[in-house]
Amino acid sequence: MLDSAIIQVAIGLIFIFSLLAILVTQINTFIGNLLKWRSKNLKEGLQHLVTDKKIQAWLLTHPLIDMVQAEIDPRNKLEDQIDRIVDSPVTDVTYIAPDTFVNAIIDILMVEADKLYKPLQEAVKLIGDEETQSRMRELVRSLRSGFSEQTLRDLRSIVEMIPDERARNALIQAINSVEDSLVKLNFKTDQIVPILEGVSKIRDGKFRSALETILVSAKTLDDAKSKLESWFDDGMNRASALFQKRLVYTSLFVSFLVAVTLNVDTLFVSRSLWESPELRQSLAETAIRYDQGSANQIVKPSNNDDVTVAQLREEAEQIGQTVQDLLELQLPIGWEYTEVTEEMITSSRLLGIPDPSKNARNLWNFIPGNSNDWLTIWLQKIIGLLATTIAAAQGAPFWFDLLNRVRGDNNSSNTG
């Protein structure tokens, strides 16, 4: 089957496209790791989910998330640090488990919920009697862990017996404030009251409304966590889809740069393979013998979040090796610049070799006026480079799968 010129040219082109696709993937991986594309996309996805700036800053610096190279300075208000934190460079974190995100969010909401009880805690300090003060603290802790009408009644009964009018009035006002806030929560169960309290303190209306919608039907704490995890998964799926879409455009751009830089012109290469039996046969045989396993190892993405200088250096070496593999095939690629004279054209005609004024690798022929066919050369070159760009952007698995099918057909033909 390899004796067929058409099959040889097809195998040769598929092999070239496979190597170019590997090169594009390697360049994408190198640039992505260098610029931390995945980490930035994850951060952007989190910010689209959590639209409240304060919660954003809190979440990005949370020990469970650790998405930015910044920390909350306890000496200053968080509100004064939001811009600095949100705009900080990302870390190497490229994945967050749903339960990790939910635990971090609930932890933040619980801290926000604690602010509801701060006036009550301060008022308790005004009680002069230590035993009464201790009993009140215990009831406040009980109320924070889970809303209870009985706990509120116990608090009010103790307050009524406090002789200090100043302390009594402060406590009554604080208890009324807590009760009014809790009643507005429209809670389903005591377990999620603290979470709903934290939600009620969120300033960003869009984010607060989203969480209220998610939690309104939750009946237990586990149910609330499950709903938050589903919401997070949905948001990350949308962020991943956006990242993949951007990666497609990036691959096309990188493919175009590779095609232009190496001057891999599909039309010119195809014609050269067709006109050179030795080249196309050698290329087809190399393609059949090529170790696809090593190629798969090269393009396999790394699962390690911590991108080191050594890893970047290794990826750069892989890029250089793939380029070297392409060059060793002795393909009609690359650019040259040679002034074409009438004597050269006349000599080529006498010798029966291609007209140098139509050489699509010679940049001199692309200058208007230098060649009678300069416009045709330009149009063919654009078409050839665009074809290479689209082919290389398809990905190595696509071309290797196609190459394996051709290999299988060839083996079947030989055994038959």
Side-chain angles (χ1 to χ4, degrees), residues 1-184:
M1 189 174 180
L2 283 181
D3 292 336
S4 170
I6 296 178
I7 296 299
Q8 290 177 351
V9 171
I11 291 177
L13 287 176
I14 292 173
F15 184 49
I16 293 171
F17 293 154
S18 300
L19 293 180
L20 289 174
I22 290 176
L23 181 59
V24 170
T25 300
Q26 290 172 335
I27 294 175
N28 282 343
T29 301
F30 177 79
I31 298 176
N33 288 335
L34 182 65
L35 301 181
K36 299 183 178 181
W37 282 348
R38 292 188 180 276
S39 296
K40 291 179 180 178
N41 182 74
L42 178 59
K43 177 186 175 184
E44 183 179 335
L46 287 178
Q47 289 176 312
H48 282 158
L49 276 181
V50 183
T51 54
D52 184 274
K53 290 289 186 180
K54 182 178 179 181
I55 304 297
Q56 271 184 24
W58 214 330
L59 181 65
L60 292 172
T61 56
H62 195 281
L64 294 178
I65 304 299
D66 190 27
M67 272 295 300
V68 294
Q69 299 175 21
E71 296 180 356
I72 296 177
D73 188 347
R75 298 169 297 179
N76 301 320
K77 292 182 179 180
L78 177 58
E79 287 79 359
D80 298 333
Q81 307 177 61
I82 291 176
D83 291 337
R84 174 183 64 84
I85 293 173
V86 172
D87 296 334
S88 295
V90 295
T91 59
D92 292 324
V93 176
T94 59
Y95 172 76
I96 298 174
D99 60 332
T100 300
F101 170 81
V102 171
N103 288 335
I105 280 291
I106 289 179
D107 181 52
I108 293 171
L109 294 177
M110 294 288 281
V111 173
E112 285 290 286
D114 286 344
K115 296 179 181 179
L116 173 66
Y117 300 97
K118 190 172 182 180
L120 182 57
Q121 292 171 327
E122 294 297 324
V124 169
K125 295 178 182 180
L126 299 177
I127 301 175
D129 181 58
E130 291 185 5
E131 183 177 350
T132 303
Q133 190 179 94
S134 177
R135 176 60 180 157
M136 288 290 289
R137 285 201 185 101
E138 183 180 345
L139 289 172
V140 171
R141 282 196 297 269
S142 177
L143 187 64
R144 288 175 57 189
S145 61
F147 176 79
S148 170
E149 291 283 358
Q150 183 60 48
T151 304
L152 280 175
R153 285 194 291 269
D154 292 342
L155 282 169
R156 291 187 183 279
S157 62
I158 295 177
V159 169
E160 291 175 357
M161 296 184 294
I162 296 176
D164 187 339
E165 183 178 358
R166 175 169 171 267
R168 186 171 63 252
N169 291 336
L171 285 166
I172 291 174
Q173 184 177 358
I175 292 174
N176 289 338
S177 176
V178 170
E179 186 174 19
D180 289 343
S181 297
L182 294 178
V183 169
K184 293 177 181 178

Side-chain angles (χ1 to χ4, degrees), residues 185-189 192 196 199 208-220 223-224 227-228:
L185 294 176
N186 190 27
F187 54 88
K188 298 288 184 181
T189 173
I192 62 173
L196 293 172
V199 172
R208 183 176 65 251
S209 177
L211 290 183
E212 288 174 347
T213 302
I214 294 168
L215 298 173
V216 68
S217 60
K219 297 180 179 180
T220 64
D223 191 19
K227 292 180 181 296
L228 287 172

